[in-house]
């Protein structure tokens, strides 16, 4: 899994009805875009995250990076 700063980190709910947790990657700490990532979530807290099988990285488009 590879990411860049500004990509979305999406952790899908583990049970039916549980909402996804979506955050913005604010720092890529591994080499060449690999985990771990520092992620800022909507409620303002930040965490050090290593993606698991229930995680998706949504990459920003070229237009969004400008």
């Amino acid at each position: 899994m590879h990411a860049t700063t500004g990509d979305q980190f999406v952790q899908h709910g583990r049970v039916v009805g549980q909402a996804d947790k979506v955050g913005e990657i604010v720092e890529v700490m591994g080499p060449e875009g690999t985990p771990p990532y520092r992620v800022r979530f909507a409620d303002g807290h930040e965490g050090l995250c290593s993606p698991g099988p229930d995680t998706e990285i949504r990459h920003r488009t070229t237009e969004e990076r400008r």
Side-chain angles (χ1 to χ4, degrees):
M1 190 170 284
H2 291 86
T4 58
T5 300
D7 289 346
Q8 282 190 331
F9 184 93
V10 182
Q11 186 175 22
H12 298 290
R14 294 181 178 211
V15 296
V16 174
Q18 184 179 30
D20 294 347
K21 290 176 69 174
V22 180
E24 179 183 352
I25 296 174
V26 294
E27 183 181 2
V28 177
M29 302 177 83
E32 299 178 15
T34 59
Y37 307 120
R38 183 171 309 282
V39 179
R40 181 178 301 126
F41 292 94
D43 65 1
H45 85 273
E46 291 186 7
L48 186 61
C49 301
S50 292
D54 57 346
T55 305
E56 171 187 2
I57 301 295
R58 294 183 184 155
H59 301 286
R60 293 185 305 167
T61 64
T62 304
E63 289 295 315
E64 292 173 324
R65 292 180 187 190
R66 292 184 190 177

